[in-house]
């Protein structure tokens, strides 16, 4: 069943073929690969008992007196409340995630990876695995040390009758290896034997605890001899008192009395005692680690974990109360094994210590094996963990148990693990923080499919759990906390760049969607202001194979604004079985990744390019994020060139292309071949000009891009970087011609379109890639005109007010403009009054904005337009990287569309990369 399959489909698929009712099958069984059945664990054996034993371990026997003796009863209860508050917040998150769907093997790793993604889950999984491996070694060595203290031959003192075991490093290693081999055999046989073994140990520990509680009530006052280690170099008496349950003793033990720890020689404080006590509360994941062996994980984990946490909390507090009410403060501070001294049968407590420590070692060993097995199944590390996937016919992952056992054996060679002990606890806390983070992210994402049956949690509980875990990490050891976080980030980056692609879904996408939707609703178009204007561009692309240069240039031009790649596929949905565009989006998005541009993709299906463009202009964007400028390639006779041949294949959407064995993923994105020289275009000249007219009617600015097949971004910007130290005299240059050259009768440079032209050129110059470029502004003036100096002064003042840095060049075009007026005089012989009337009509039409169109009464000759083109070429030395020219509005008479396009073609012919721009919206202001 695929990870992407809906949960409903999963449930239906797994229950589609019910088994015959007359077949008797043990309860809690699951068919294995060869048809056999594997017994699965329930709430008690699978969750409650492992969690109880992991949380009790040796703390209940050796650290209760330490906590109460140092901190007093009040602070001890406060410590338990704080510690259990932190772990309860984590347990609530575990319960929520585990009841939100089918849970597989891996426990906490599976929860985190499926919620936060493979990078976060994989890094936390590795750390959780190492924490369990080192934890198992710690418990094994702790058991060996306990055995050696009771039965080992002392090095200095005289050996007792029962101290017969040889001591030394190699002997301790041998004993540890034997204990670990016993744990390995139990875990290797399978989860069922492990459950039975832990149940036996649970019976033993429960019996020991019962004897401890009974001893407090039936054992009378007695004198207790303190251990030798606690009275060396001390003025204290070697004995102290067990008073039995007395109110006076309780009063004496209510307040804190921090002293030196006789085992370490360090002065104790609230923080150090709390850290030691908290180590015994970090076994809450023991049941979750068995998720792959549980009959019903979603049912067992929440109930079993909560029951275990509540049981241990009550037990710890009752023991603290009884110890504070019956034991002298010196007994609690100087004898951590006092429970054996006051027990009705002292060896029983020793058996409890051995049993709980052995259980904790087995729990960590089998937990580590299940985690590494889950990591191998997810294939996050390629072939490194391939051998760990092997399982027995019954489904037991024996290879992962073997690998975990070998690693624990390697750790045992270290002997003393006091240094590793601290970082192991921090690893566990980091895992708990990650579980809380996963639940918090799912809650904040507000995804409809996150609806766990366990509802006793909110984002507040998740946040408190994260905060509590982080505080405890730095309280235990700030250095280890920083080191563990750095190690996690390193693993995260390695998996991100080297790991395979997953189809688990990414919580980041859900969170981004949630936040983007919220802020889009807050983006009110009624509050738009010209001083915050930015270009929001819709680039219409016929075939991206021939538009690479233009697409990269528009990406530079957008200035952190909206950039949308639009494409119109000709056709109708009628008669088609499905939308033909849905399977094209992957190709377009792969192209966006390949070009490293920040653009959206919007495809539409229409019976004509004009209708499709109208659809794109109407529907592209949301709220205040809608295109305000339409960019079109130029309509000319240039033969398209393929710039994508063999350069790109489908990517992952994560910015990286990773190796894969699936040949289908090696296929290049699907884009049709470029149009041949003899093939017809998808639209005619009149329809192309209609696109411009439609955009102007809809209040959109228009830009026509020509010769951008010649634009080589790397060459242009590379040259600019090399000569950055001499930017005042060298390129790259950006030329701006703000006058409407196709209306030589117009006056002035300060209109909406000219200012829009200047703004776009300035926006391009302000981008990081183009900040080495130089703006050149060309003003066409008549040499004999008395207004030449005044026009130049006004323009320079305007540039200063608009904070635009540009080189102003005055271009005398008397001979060029004379060609126009000479032809006009020959054709019409119009007087000055008629000329003024034409100018007045043109200015009124310009002021009308998008409501109307100019008549373009002046008939321009090809001779004049070619002369203007030559003038632009003459003043293009050095050759500019791109030119910005004024694009006049299309004529109102549709029959003149072809002539209009021909004039624009002559004007921009052979100029190199050129943007012909017509602006209809105000974009600049001098206000603060």
């Amino acid at each position: 069943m695929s990870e992407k399959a809906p949960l409903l489909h999963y449930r239906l698929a797994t229950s589609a073929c019910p088994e015959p009712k007359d077949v008797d099958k043990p309860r809690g069984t699951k068919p294995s690969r060869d048809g056999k059945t594997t017994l699965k664990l329930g709430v008690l054996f699978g969750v409650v008992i492992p969690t109880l034993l992991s949380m009790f371990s040796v703390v209940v026997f050796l650290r209760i007196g330490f906590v109460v003796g140092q901190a007093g009863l009040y602070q001890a209860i406060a410590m338990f409340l704080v510690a259990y508050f932190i772990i309860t917040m984590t347990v609530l998150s575990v319960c929520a995630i585990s009841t939100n769907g089918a849970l597989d093997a891996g426990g906490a790793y599976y929860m985190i990876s499926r919620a936060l993604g493979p990078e976060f889950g994989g890094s936390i999984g590795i750390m959780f695995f190492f924490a369990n491996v080192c934890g198992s070694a710690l418990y094994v060595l702790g058991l060996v040390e306990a055995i050696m203290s009771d039965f080992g031959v002392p090095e200095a003192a005289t050996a007792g009758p029962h101290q017969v075991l040889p001591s030394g490093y190699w002997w301790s290693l041998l004993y540890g290896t034997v204990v670990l081999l016993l744990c390995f055999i139990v875990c290797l046989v399978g989860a069922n034997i492990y459950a039975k073994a832990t149940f036996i140990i649970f019976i033993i520990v429960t019996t020991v605890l019962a004897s401890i509680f009974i001893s407090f009530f039936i054992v009378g006052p007695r004198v207790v001899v303190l251990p030798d280690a606690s009275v060396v170099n001390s003025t204290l008496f070697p004995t102290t008192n067990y008073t039995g349950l007395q109110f006076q003793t309780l009063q004496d033990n209510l307040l804190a009395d921090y002293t030196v720890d006789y085992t370490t020689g360090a002065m104790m404080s609230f923080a150090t005692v709390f850290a030691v006590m908290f180590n015994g509360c970090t076994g809450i994941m023991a049941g979750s680690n068995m998720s792959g062996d549980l009959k019903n994980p979603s049912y067992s984990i929440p109930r079993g974990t909560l029951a275990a946490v509540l049981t241990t909390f009550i037990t710890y507090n009752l023991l603290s109360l009884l110890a504070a009410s019956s034991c002298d403060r010196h007994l609690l501070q100087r004898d951590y094994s006092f429970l054996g001294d006051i027990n009705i049968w002292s060896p029983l407590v020793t058996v409890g210590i051995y049993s709980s420590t052995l259980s904790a070692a087995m729990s960590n060993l089998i937990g580590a094996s299940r985690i590494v097995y889950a990591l191998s199944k997810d294939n996050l590390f390629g072939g490194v963990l391939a051998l760990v996937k092997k399982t027995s016919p019954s489904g037991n992952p024996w290879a992962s148990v073997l690998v975990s056992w070998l690693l624990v054996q390697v750790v045992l060679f270290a002997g003393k693990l006091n240094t590793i002990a601290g970082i192991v606890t921090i690893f566990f806390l980091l895992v708990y923080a990650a579980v809380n983070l996963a639940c918090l992210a799912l809650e904040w994402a507000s995804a409809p499919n996150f609806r766990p049956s366990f509802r006793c949690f909110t984002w507040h509980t998740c946040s408190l759990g994260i905060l509590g875990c982080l505080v405890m990490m730095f309280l235990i050891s700030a250095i280890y906390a920083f080191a563990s976080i750095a190690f996690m980030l390193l693993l995260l980056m390695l998996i991100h760049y080297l790991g395979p692609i997953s189809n688990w879904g990414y919580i980041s996408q859900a969170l981004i969607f949630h936040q983007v939707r919220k802020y889009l609703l807050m983006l009110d178009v009624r509050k738009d202001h010209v001083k915050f204007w930015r270009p929001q561009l819709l680039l219409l692309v016929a075939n991206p194979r021939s538009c690479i240069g233009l697409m990269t240039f528009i990406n530079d031009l957008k200035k952190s604004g909206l950039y949308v790649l639009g494409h119109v596929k000709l056709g109708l949905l009628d008669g088609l079985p499905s939308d033909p565009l849905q399977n094209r989006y992957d190709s377009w998005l792969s192209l966006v990744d390949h070009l490293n541009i920040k653009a959206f993709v919007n495809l539409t299906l229409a019976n004509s390019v004009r209708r499709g463009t109208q659809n794109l202009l109407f529907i592209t964007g949301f709220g205040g994020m809608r295109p305000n400028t339409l960019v079109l390639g130029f309509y000319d006779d240039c033969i398209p060139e393929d710039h994508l041949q063999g350069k790109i294949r489908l990517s992952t959407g994560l910015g990286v292309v990773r190796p894969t064995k699936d040949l289908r993923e090696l296929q290049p994105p699907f884009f049709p071949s470029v149009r041949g020289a003899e093939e017809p275009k998808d639209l005619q000249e009149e329809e192309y000009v209609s696109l411009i007219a439609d955009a102007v009617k809809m209040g959109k600015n228009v830009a026509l891009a020509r010769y951008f097949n010649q634009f080589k971004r790397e060459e242009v910007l590379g040259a600019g970087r090399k000569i950055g130290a001499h930017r005042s005299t060298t390129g790259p240059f950006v030329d701006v011609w703000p006058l409407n050259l196709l209306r030589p009768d117009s006056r002035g440079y300060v209109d909406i379109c000219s200012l829009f032209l200047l703004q776009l050129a300035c926006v391009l110059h302000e981008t990081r890639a183009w900040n080495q470029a130089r703006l050149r502004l060309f003003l066409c003036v008549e040499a004999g005109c008395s207004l030449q100096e005044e026009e130049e002064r006004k323009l320079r003042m305007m540039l200063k007010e608009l904070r635009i840095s540009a080189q102003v060049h005055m271009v005398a075009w008397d001979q060029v403009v004379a060609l126009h007026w000479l032809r006009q005089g020959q054709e019409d012989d119009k007087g000055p009054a008629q000329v003024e009337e034409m100018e007045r009509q043109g200015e009124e039409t310009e002021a009308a904005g998008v409501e109307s169109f100019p008549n373009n009464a002046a008939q321009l000759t090809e001779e004049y337009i070619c002369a203007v083109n030559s003038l632009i070429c003459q003043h293009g030395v050095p050759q500019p990287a791109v030119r910005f020219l004024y694009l006049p509005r299309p004529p109102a008479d549709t029959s003149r569309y072809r002539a209009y396009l021909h004039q624009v073609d002559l004007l921009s012919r052979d100029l190199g990369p050129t943007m012909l721009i017509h602006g209809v919206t105000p974009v600049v202001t001098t206000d603060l």
Side-chain angles (χ1 to χ4, degrees):
M1 185 60 59
S2 171
E3 292 274 355
K4 287 187 174 181
L7 187 59
L8 178 61
H9 182 257
Y10 168 82
R11 298 300 187 192
L12 292 176
T14 54
S15 60
C17 300
E19 299 193 12
K21 296 181 180 179
D22 56 346
V23 177
D24 293 331
K25 185 176 292 186
R27 186 179 179 184
T29 59
K30 179 181 180 181
S32 62
R33 294 177 302 177
D34 58 355
K36 297 181 180 180
T37 58
T38 304
L39 188 65
K40 307 294 277 187
L41 305 177
V43 179
L44 181 63
F45 289 95
V47 181
V48 176
I49 292 178
T51 306
L52 279 175
L53 293 177
S54 295
M55 296 187 70
F56 278 145
S57 63
V58 297
V59 173
V60 70
F61 300 110
L62 297 180
R63 290 296 179 262
I64 286 295
F66 166 77
V67 173
V68 176
Q70 296 286 347
L73 182 61
Y74 287 156
Q75 290 192 17
I77 293 177
M79 289 181 183
F80 283 118
L81 287 173
V82 173
Y84 272 82
F85 177 79
I86 294 173
I87 65 173
T88 301
M89 298 301 101
T90 303
V91 168
L92 294 180
S93 299
V94 170
C95 295
I97 298 177
S98 63
T99 59
N100 189 52
L103 191 63
D104 205 347
Y109 158 72
Y110 189 86
M111 300 178 191
I112 296 170
S113 62
R114 268 46 177 188
L116 299 181
E119 296 89 354
F120 210 102
S123 58
I124 289 293
I126 287 294
M127 298 178 69
F128 200 23
F129 168 69
F130 284 127
N132 277 275
V133 166
C134 295
S136 180
L138 281 171
Y139 285 119
V140 169
L141 286 176
L143 178 57
V144 171
E145 289 180 3
I147 294 174
M148 293 302 295
S149 65
D150 292 330
F151 303 102
V153 176
E155 296 180 359
T158 304
H162 59 280
Q163 295 177 317
V164 296
L165 294 178
S167 59
Y169 169 77
W170 292 106
W171 285 106
S172 296
L173 181 61
L174 176 62
Y175 302 147
T177 302
V178 172
V179 172
L180 181 60
L181 183 62
L182 175 63
C183 298
F184 168 67
I185 293 173
V186 173
C187 297
L188 185 64
V189 174
N192 297 318
I193 300 300
Y194 165 77
K196 294 176 181 178
T198 54
F199 180 70
I200 295 173
I201 295 175
F202 175 72
I203 295 297
I204 297 174
V205 173
T206 303
T207 303
V208 175
L209 283 175
S211 71
I212 291 174
F213 279 107
I214 294 173
S215 298
F216 278 115
F217 292 96
I218 68 173
V219 174
R222 63 174 62 177
V223 176
V224 178
V225 179
L226 297 176
D228 295 336
S230 66
V231 296
V232 174
N233 297 328
S234 176
T235 59
L236 297 176
F237 294 104
T239 62
T240 186
N241 297 319
Y242 169 74
T243 64
L245 297 177
Q246 292 186 11
F247 184 72
Q248 184 59 43
T249 305
L250 176 63
Q251 285 185 319
D252 294 339
N253 290 327
L254 289 178
L255 302 179
D257 182 19
Y258 293 106
T259 61
V260 175
D261 178 13
Y262 73 87
T263 61
T264 62
M267 184 66 187
M268 293 293 99
S269 64
F270 181 90
T272 54
V273 173
F274 184 57
V276 171
M277 184 274 300
F278 192 81
N279 287 336
C281 304
T282 56
I284 57 175
M285 289 294 183
S288 302
N289 289 342
M290 302 294 295
S291 58
D293 300 292
L294 296 177
K295 176 170 52 179
N296 188 352
S298 298
Y299 177 86
S300 302
I301 290 176
R303 289 165 175 78
T305 307
L306 287 173
V309 169
L310 181 61
T311 302
T312 55
F313 177 73
I314 295 173
T315 303
Y316 281 142
N317 282 277
L318 283 178
L319 284 175
S320 300
L321 178 61
L322 293 174
S325 303
S326 61
C327 299
D328 185 76
R329 177 65 66 102
H330 292 133
L331 175 60
L332 297 175
Q333 292 178 342
R334 298 289 172 177
D335 187 3
Y336 296 157
S337 59
F338 76 99
L339 290 177
D341 299 330
I342 66 173
N343 198 269
I344 53 178
W345 188 45
S346 296
L348 197 59
V349 176
T350 303
V351 173
I353 294 174
Y354 294 172
S355 301
S356 61
T357 308
L358 182 65
S359 171
M362 284 195 299
S363 176
N364 280 271
L365 179 60
I366 198 169
S369 67
R370 295 317 189 251
I371 294 168
V372 74
Y373 176 63
L375 284 167
S376 66
K377 286 202 306 180
D378 291 337
N379 199 30
L380 293 183
F381 299 92
V384 177
L385 300 177
L387 295 177
V388 185
K389 294 181 182 179
K390 297 183 179 298
T391 61
S392 65
S394 61
N396 183 41
W398 62 269
S400 63
V401 176
L402 179 62
V403 170
S404 302
W405 169 68
L406 290 174
L407 288 177
V408 175
Q409 184 64 57
V410 170
V411 177
L412 285 181
F413 280 97
K416 303 296 183 180
L417 293 179
N418 293 333
T419 302
I420 300 178
I423 203 168
V424 166
T425 302
I426 289 177
F427 274 17
F428 278 115
L429 286 171
L430 194 58
V431 172
Y432 299 161
V435 172
N436 284 295
L437 179 62
C439 188
L440 178 64
L442 291 170
E443 177 70 9
W444 273 355
S446 300
N449 281 325
F450 182 63
R451 44 178 183 271
S453 55
F454 182 87
R455 297 302 304 171
C456 298
F457 77 99
T458 65
W459 68 269
H460 304 85
T461 62
C462 302
S463 302
L464 289 173
I466 296 172
L467 181 63
C469 291
L470 293 178
V471 168
M472 279 306 307
M473 286 170 56
F474 287 93
L475 187 64
I476 294 174
S477 174
I479 297 177
Y480 290 163
F482 279 117
S484 61
I485 293 175
F487 182 54
M488 181 197 71
L489 294 177
L490 176 63
L491 289 173
L492 190 148
M493 290 187 292
L494 287 176
I495 297 175
H496 176 74
Y497 289 107
L498 302 178
I501 306 305
S502 73
N503 56 356
W504 306 336
Y506 290 85
I507 190 64
S508 59
Q509 296 298 304
L511 290 172
I512 292 171
F513 176 88
H514 182 72
Q515 294 300 314
V516 168
R517 181 193 64 85
K518 179 172 69 175
Y519 287 114
L520 274 177
L521 292 172
M522 296 171 62
L523 191 61
D524 193 346
V525 294
R526 296 169 295 183
K527 298 178 182 178
D528 283 347
H529 194 278
V530 62
K531 66 182 178 182
F532 300 119
W533 180 91
R534 68 185 68 223
Q536 304 196 88
L537 308 169
L538 170 62
L539 172 61
L540 201 63
V541 180
N543 191 335
R545 292 186 179 276
S546 58
C547 301
I548 300 302
L550 178 58
M551 293 165 70
T552 55
F553 175 77
I554 299 299
N555 183 65
D556 292 334
L557 189 62
K558 69 179 186 304
K559 183 59 176 176
S560 70
L562 181 67
Y563 180 21
V564 182
L565 298 177
H567 173 71
V568 179
K569 178 175 175 56
L570 296 180
L572 291 175
L573 199 58
D574 298 341
L576 295 177
S578 61
D579 183 4
L581 299 177
Q582 289 302 318
N583 56 359
R584 303 288 180 91
Y585 274 96
D586 285 345
S587 297
W588 283 84
L589 294 175
S590 297
L591 175 65
V592 169
D593 293 337
H594 171 72
L595 298 179
N596 195 25
I597 60 178
K598 298 177 181 179
F600 298 95
V601 175
N602 203 352
L603 311 180
T604 188
L605 186 68
N607 59 355
S608 68
V609 176
R610 183 182 182 186
R611 179 61 58 86
T613 305
Q614 290 175 351
N615 293 341
L616 291 174
L617 289 173
F618 276 126
I619 67 174
T620 299
F622 290 97
M625 293 193 67
R626 291 184 178 275
N628 54 32
T629 304
L630 174 66
V631 183
L632 302 170
F634 197 80
Y635 192 98
D636 55 20
D637 296 328
C638 293
I639 300 175
E641 301 175 6
D642 190 348
H643 299 285
L644 279 182
Q645 188 67 35
K647 293 184 179 181
I648 177 178
R649 58 186 175 90
L650 285 177
S651 65
T652 66
L654 302 176
V656 290
V657 179
R658 298 172 178 169
T660 176
K661 296 180 180 179
D662 191 350
L663 296 179
R664 293 175 298 178
E665 295 186 14
L666 298 177
Q667 298 296 326
F670 174 77
F671 295 117
S673 302
V674 296
R675 176 177 54 85
E678 304 300 327
E679 297 180 27
K681 299 181 179 180
D682 290 335
L683 73 168
Q684 299 303 313
E685 296 174 338
E686 291 82 359
E687 186 178 4
Y688 177 80
V689 180
S690 297
L691 300 181
I692 305 173
D694 292 342
V696 174
K697 289 179 183 178
M698 298 169 68
K700 309 294 184 184
N701 309 296
V702 180
L704 306 183
R706 190 172 193 185
Y707 295 123
F708 274 87
N709 58 325
Q710 304 173 9
F711 179 74
K712 308 297 182 184
R713 185 176 185 273
E714 292 76 12
E715 296 179 7
V716 170
L717 300 182
R721 283 190 289 268
K722 292 176 184 177
I723 57 177
H726 309 284
R727 53 184 294 185
S728 60
T729 57
T730 56
F733 290 100
V734 177
D735 289 359
V736 182
W737 295 75
L739 182 66
N740 186 355
L741 299 174
L742 294 184
R743 282 193 59 190
D745 52 340
S746 62
R747 291 288 185 265
Y749 294 87
V750 185
D751 62 6
I752 290 178
C753 187
S754 297
L755 293 176
F756 185 82
L757 205 69
L758 282 172
Q759 180 77 324
L760 281 190
C762 183
V763 165
L764 180 66
H765 177 257
E766 288 179 352
T767 59
R768 181 178 301 178
W770 288 81
N771 60 3
Q772 301 293 331
R774 303 296 295 170
L775 295 183
R776 295 189 301 193
L777 187 60
F778 294 91
L779 302 183
C780 296
V781 296
E782 297 179 31
C785 179
S786 60
L787 299 179
Q788 175 180 352
E789 294 182 0
E790 182 181 354
E791 289 290 335
E792 182 179 0
R793 183 182 60 80
K794 287 182 178 180
L795 184 61
R796 291 186 182 276
M797 181 62 67
M798 182 188 69
L799 292 176
K800 182 179 180 181
E801 292 178 351
L802 295 177
R803 292 86 61 200
I804 297 177
S805 176
Q807 301 174 3
V808 180
H809 297 265
M810 310 304 294
V811 178
W813 71 328
D814 302 66
Q815 297 179 354
V816 175
V817 77
L819 295 175
H820 169 70
W821 293 118
L822 178 62
R823 183 62 179 269
Q824 288 294 101
Q826 293 175 354
E827 290 183 354
D828 315 304
D829 196 21
K830 291 184 171 65
Q834 293 172 306
V835 173
E836 290 181 4
E837 179 63 21
M838 286 171 50
E839 293 176 1
R840 186 185 62 79
Q841 291 178 359
E843 292 173 358
E844 290 177 355
T845 310
E846 290 286 343
V850 300
E851 300 290 333
S852 58
F853 288 82
N855 293 322
N856 283 6
Q859 300 295 321
L860 300 177
T861 64
E862 291 190 7
E863 184 182 9
Y864 162 75
I865 299 174
C866 291
V868 172
N869 177 266
S870 299
L871 181 70
I872 297 174
C873 290
Q874 292 171 9
H875 289 81
V877 179
Q879 178 71 21
V882 64
R883 287 184 173 91
F884 288 83
L885 302 184
Y886 191 119
L887 176 68
R889 185 180 280 114
D893 186 0
T894 57
S895 64
R896 299 189 57 200
Y897 279 0
R898 187 182 296 270
Y900 167 82
L901 184 60
H902 179 63
Q903 292 173 0
V904 177
D905 174 41
L906 291 177
L907 176 67
S908 58
R909 183 169 295 177
D910 298 326
L911 292 183
T914 303
M915 296 289 292
L916 297 119
I917 298 172
H918 184 81
V920 297
T921 56
V923 293
V924 295
T925 179
T926 58
D927 295 337
L928 183 62

